């Protein structure tokens, strides 16, 4: 049975509708760019040391939970409804993960992985993504005043109604 090793909640303010969870690797900047490019096309993108996530909008905050597990957790039938769940792999050569658009400086600087450096499976689960996207698209169809009011409302959504992402990480093996 998979065991939850750690969980950290943070808030991101996504620039250009994007945030990345990543590790400092030799090609970290290139990996973040590639993950972002893939996420822009598909919602979530995986590159060697980065996971890019495209948010519904850049005008509202997104809540992100990063969980580390002893092995791949299951998605349970009783789990609350989600918009999508996408899996991939990512390498953490420096035994820390970071989120580039987090409002919390420790998360931008690096949080240690309980299982240490190595290759990890990763799953990104999105909640309220489609609802926030629909709100944003409907707001764009209104007048300038309606759009401004809708943006103000979106920035003030309670956490339960805001865009949320659950990122699960589990070790796949050790680097040699």
């Amino acid at each position: 049975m998979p065991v939850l090793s750690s969980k950290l909640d943070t808030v991101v303010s996504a620039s250009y509708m994007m945030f990345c969870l990543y590790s400092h690797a030799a090609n970290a900047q290139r990996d973040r760019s590639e993950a972002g490019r893939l996420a822009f096309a598909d919602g979530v993108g995986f590159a060697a040391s980065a996971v890019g996530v495209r948010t519904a909008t850049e005008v509202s905050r997104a809540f992100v939970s990063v969980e580390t597990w002893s092995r791949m957790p299951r998605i349970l039938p009783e789990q609350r409804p989600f918009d999508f769940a996408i899996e991939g792999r990512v390498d953490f050569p420096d035994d820390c993960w970071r989120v580039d658009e987090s409002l919390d400086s420790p998360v931008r600087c690096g949080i240690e992985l309980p299982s240490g450096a190595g290759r990890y499976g990763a799953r990104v689960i999105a909640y309220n993504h489609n609802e926030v996207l629909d709100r944003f698209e409907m707001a764009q169809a209104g007048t300038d005043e309606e759009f401004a009011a809708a943006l103000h409302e979106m920035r003030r959504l309670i956490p339960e109604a805001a865009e949320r992402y659950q990122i699960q990480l589990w070790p796949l093996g050790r680097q040699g």
Side-chain angles (χ1 to χ4, degrees), residues 104-162:
D104 303 313
S105 8
V107 174
R108 286 191 314 272
C109 294
I111 304 295
E112 192 171 312
L113 287 156
S115 297
R119 178 164 286 169
Y120 282 73
R123 177 186 296 138
V124 178
I125 305 173
Y127 302 92
N128 302 330
H129 175 91
N130 293 340
E131 184 177 324
V132 170
L133 182 60
D134 290 345
R135 283 181 180 210
F136 184 66
E137 289 174 348
M138 285 177 27
Q140 287 179 314
T143 66
D144 289 345
E145 294 80 22
E146 292 169 335
F147 183 62
L151 294 182
H152 180 72
E153 179 185 327
M154 288 174 65
R155 287 186 188 108
R156 302 187 68 141
L157 286 173
I158 61 171
E160 293 77 23

Side-chain angles (χ1 to χ4, degrees), residues 24-45:
H24 272 306
N27 297 311
Q29 185 59 40
R30 184 200 69 205
D31 293 347
R32 286 169 58 195
S33 294
E34 178 68 9
R37 184 185 67 73
L38 293 168
F40 193 73
D42 297 326
V44 176

